[in-house]
Amino acid sequence: MFLRPLIDLLFPPLCHACKGALPATGAEGTPPHPFICADCLGKIAFLTSPLCTRCGAPFATGDGHDHTCGACLSHHPFHTCRSVAVLAGPLQELIHRFKYGGKLHLADPLGLLAYQRLEQFLGEAKPECVVPVPLHRKRLRQRGYNQSQLLGEVLGKKLKVPQVVGNLRRLRWTEPQTTLDAGERVTNVKGAFGVRDPKALAGKRVLLVDDVFTTGSTLGACADALHEAEVAAVVAVTVARGIQQ
């Protein structure tokens, strides 16, 4: 009980985004996030209604009502999908350091941010297990870790549901999606995922986790594979969403 304030005094907690000081443990008031300062949180463009009820895409409308977007009216592989905020500013910097800079400790602030902002959505979704978007074994060797799996660990603990790793897998190597346009992304990952043991997931509500939603092609290909395994529903969550211009 007395050790934590002493540690904060000797080693003041710092914001993971800007490295500025955070309120010490026990300070008056509850900070909105234990790892990210209020100033940096204020620079994050959080996604709020109006949104597409299926894929979570934001609408540039003033009515404030959620409704299904045109793309999802024709087809969408998710039961529903949500992202925390736009991929920009402090959030983009945190994700870049986490994904490409080997800063594994950033899984906690990013995963907690996702849980805090999407807690109601996740509660209503009632997932029975967490499934991270898998990396190809070659990419996993290069990077040394799967950022989606680390985020999934945080969300699974908060939701008190198990994370299932290794069942959803990449069947073949795919080129990095960041180098491709929207159409090429869909072709690149089509049929790239499969479920090793369908019976282990059949009938379950699955929370599919990734770091960033850009066009949704990777998440969609994963969802298609999960549906082939006869899951009850695929609910997808990402920390950030790249907004297409």
Side-chain angles (χ1 to χ4, degrees), residues 58-171:
F59 289 114
T61 61
D63 60 11
H65 299 299
D66 294 344
H67 56 87
T68 307
C69 71
C72 290
L73 285 172
S74 58
H75 169 71
H76 206 283
F78 314 116
H79 178 75
T80 185
C81 176
R82 291 292 184 276
S83 302
V84 174
V86 175
L87 183 65
L91 184 61
Q92 184 173 17
E93 173 63 22
L94 283 170
I95 290 176
H96 192 272
R97 284 160 47 198
F98 173 50
K99 187 171 183 176
Y100 303 112
K103 306 299 184 182
L104 278 65
H105 65 281
L106 294 177
D108 284 330
L110 291 170
L112 180 59
L113 185 67
Y115 178 75
Q116 286 182 335
R117 299 295 303 192
L118 301 176
E119 184 175 4
Q120 181 177 345
F121 168 78
L122 291 167
E124 294 172 351
K126 296 181 173 61
E128 297 172 85
C129 65
V130 174
V131 174
V133 171
L135 293 179
H136 189 273
R137 59 183 178 275
K138 178 181 176 182
R139 180 81 66 208
L140 187 58
R141 285 196 301 268
Q142 291 172 343
R143 187 170 297 165
Y145 59 96
N146 180 353
Q147 74 281 354
S148 300
Q149 181 179 336
L150 296 178
L151 293 170
E153 287 178 5
V154 177
L155 289 173
K157 288 177 182 177
K158 286 292 184 182
L159 295 168
K160 296 180 172 59
V161 298
Q163 178 168 224
V164 179
V165 177
N167 202 352
L168 178 65
R169 59 196 182 101
R170 287 194 183 240
L171 303 177

